[in-house]
Amino acid sequence: MFTGKTKRVVAVHDLSGVGRVSLSVVIPVLSNMGFNVSSLPTSILSNHTQYPSFSFLDLTDEMRKILAQWKLLDIEFDAIYTGYLGSVEQVNIIKEFVCENKRNDTLIMIDPVLGDNAKLYANFNEDMVIAMRKLIGVADVVTPNLTELFFLLDIPYSEYNGDEELKILMLELSKKGPDIVIITNVPEKVNPHITSVYAYNKKGHRFWKVTCPYLPAHFPGMGDTFTSVITGALLQGDSLPMALDRAAQFCYQGIRATFGYEYDRREGIMLEKVLRNLELPIQVTSYELI
Ligand code: PXL
């Protein structure tokens, strides 16, 4: 029966008060793209963990209570989208939640947040990596950065990798479960002014690459912005390469809109300045089949 209701996305991320990461990014992006975002907060922080100090309230027990209530209320989910999880226990709770609630048409999007620049984030250790390897087994789509890709595959980190090497690595990761593997923010050895996104889709066995200009600035939360747009685009019915183009272009617009200001970059991109661009049809596509 056609109901016309908006699709519900459960967003499983922390809420960081300062610094635009996690729920502070996921909710505006996905509601702007027309989705009903139901938040399952994993923790509350004063600010994200790339500041020298932060307060941290763990919500593991509350997550169990929230999920029990949703079950009682027969809430149904069109997508489950996870990002920063605070502990191994939380990863296990989410794995069980996904297994219990996955229908044939539910999108399970796992951003395996573990680290960046060849290092794990503060608070994370090898146990978290092992738990995340199991969680990606129930995913439809995963979006690791290079650091997370190598940790998930349990092979030593290498910063520069050619297309053929990345294809093999994506294929290996997809063998652990997900139909779609997307690697974000891949640097190019020969040209430091560009950055690429690579993707593999098991259905059709095709590999894609989208290349973007690179600006020399690090903004926390870019991974959350990127994966939120991919989630929204796939739920709206975009093909994988179109979703990659939309997400890469949106991130680039956000960085361009912010880069020119004298500004504490730890705050993340000025999302508010570009959020309305998500409503515009894409003007130029640059994806390649590799
Ligand atoms: O996905 C980025 C992110 C999310 N949440 C917290 C973080 C970070 C990155 O530093 O610290 C709490």
Side-chain angles (χ1 to χ4, degrees):
M1 187 188 62
F2 178 73
T3 64
K5 65 181 176 138
T6 51
K7 288 182 178 170
R8 182 195 308 279
V9 182
V10 180
V12 191
H13 303 255
D14 68 279
L15 180 61
S16 286
V18 168
R20 295 177 193 74
V21 301
S22 46
L23 284 181
S24 307
V25 168
V26 175
I27 299 171
V29 166
L30 281 169
S31 54
N32 219 267
M33 292 180 85
F35 299 98
N36 172 12
V37 183
S38 294
S39 298
L40 178 58
T42 58
S43 50
I44 298 178
L45 293 88
S46 52
N47 46 269
H48 61 67
T49 62
Q50 293 179 46
Y51 286 90
S53 64
F54 51 90
S55 71
F56 182 92
L57 174 67
D58 179 89
L59 294 178
T60 308
D61 292 339
E62 201 59 32
M63 284 170 71
R64 284 203 189 85
K65 291 186 208 165
I66 292 169
L67 291 176
Q69 276 301 316
W70 286 353
K71 194 170 178 176
L72 211 62
L73 296 171
D74 281 328
I75 308 290
E76 294 205 0
F77 312 101
D78 301 295
I80 298 170
Y81 165 27
T82 77
Y84 186 94
L85 299 171
S87 63
V88 169
E89 211 179 330
Q90 288 190 0
V91 179
N92 294 335
I93 292 173
I94 294 308
K95 190 157 159 277
E96 204 181 310
F97 170 60
V98 168
C99 293
E100 264 185 32
N101 288 278
K102 187 168 166 51
R103 306 180 311 241
N104 272 344
D105 59 346
T106 315
L107 173 68
I108 309 297
M109 169 70 75
I110 308 279
D111 186 2
V113 176
L114 289 171
D116 208 354
N117 301 315
K119 286 199 300 266
L120 294 178
Y121 287 131
N123 286 358
F124 289 170
N125 58 22
E126 183 63 19
D127 290 344
M128 189 67 177
V129 178
I130 293 168
M132 198 58 88
R133 283 186 197 133
K134 293 187 189 138
L135 183 61
I136 64 164
V138 298
D140 296 311
V141 185
V142 291
T143 56
N145 59 28
L146 266 186
T147 301
E148 291 155 350
L149 175 75
F150 285 106
F151 272 112
L152 291 169
L153 288 172
D154 199 12
I155 50 179
Y157 180 80
S158 149
E159 187 177 2
Y160 296 112
N161 308 273
D163 289 0
E164 294 312 311
E165 287 148 321
L166 287 166
K167 281 161 84 168
I168 294 168
L169 296 171
M170 289 192 287
L171 206 55
E172 282 308 304
L173 199 63
S174 78
K175 285 183 191 158
K176 297 184 186 291
D179 283 342
I180 294 178
V181 173
I182 300 171
I183 315 175
T184 59
N185 200 11
V186 180
E188 198 94 19
K189 193 174 188 177
V190 286
N191 185 353
H193 303 296
I194 59 173
T195 179
S196 300
V197 174
Y198 285 77
Y200 170 62
N201 194 345
K202 215 183 261 176
K203 293 187 185 125
H205 186 62
R206 288 201 283 181
F207 295 90
W208 304 97
K209 179 178 179 181
V210 170
T211 298
C212 249
Y214 179 76
L215 292 173
H218 170 73
F219 293 96
M222 286 314 301
D224 298 326
T225 305
F226 181 87
T227 307
S228 299
V229 178
I230 294 276
T231 304
L234 292 177
L235 285 170
Q236 284 177 356
D238 277 1
S239 66
L240 175 60
M242 282 304 275
L244 298 172
D245 255 324
R246 277 178 83 182
Q249 282 183 28
F250 183 71
C251 289
Y252 184 60
Q253 288 164 354
I255 294 171
R256 292 287 301 185
T258 313
F259 188 69
Y261 292 93
E262 298 309 316
Y263 166 82
D264 183 347
R265 291 187 184 144
R266 294 176 299 188
E267 292 252 12
I269 55 162
M270 295 184 193
L271 187 65
E272 314 74 45
K273 290 192 184 279
V274 288
L275 205 50
R276 278 172 222 92
N277 297 1
L278 288 170
E279 291 158 31
L280 303 172
I282 196 154
Q283 302 291 319
V284 187
T285 65
S286 60
Y287 65 74
E288 300 168 65
L289 190 64
I290 56 168

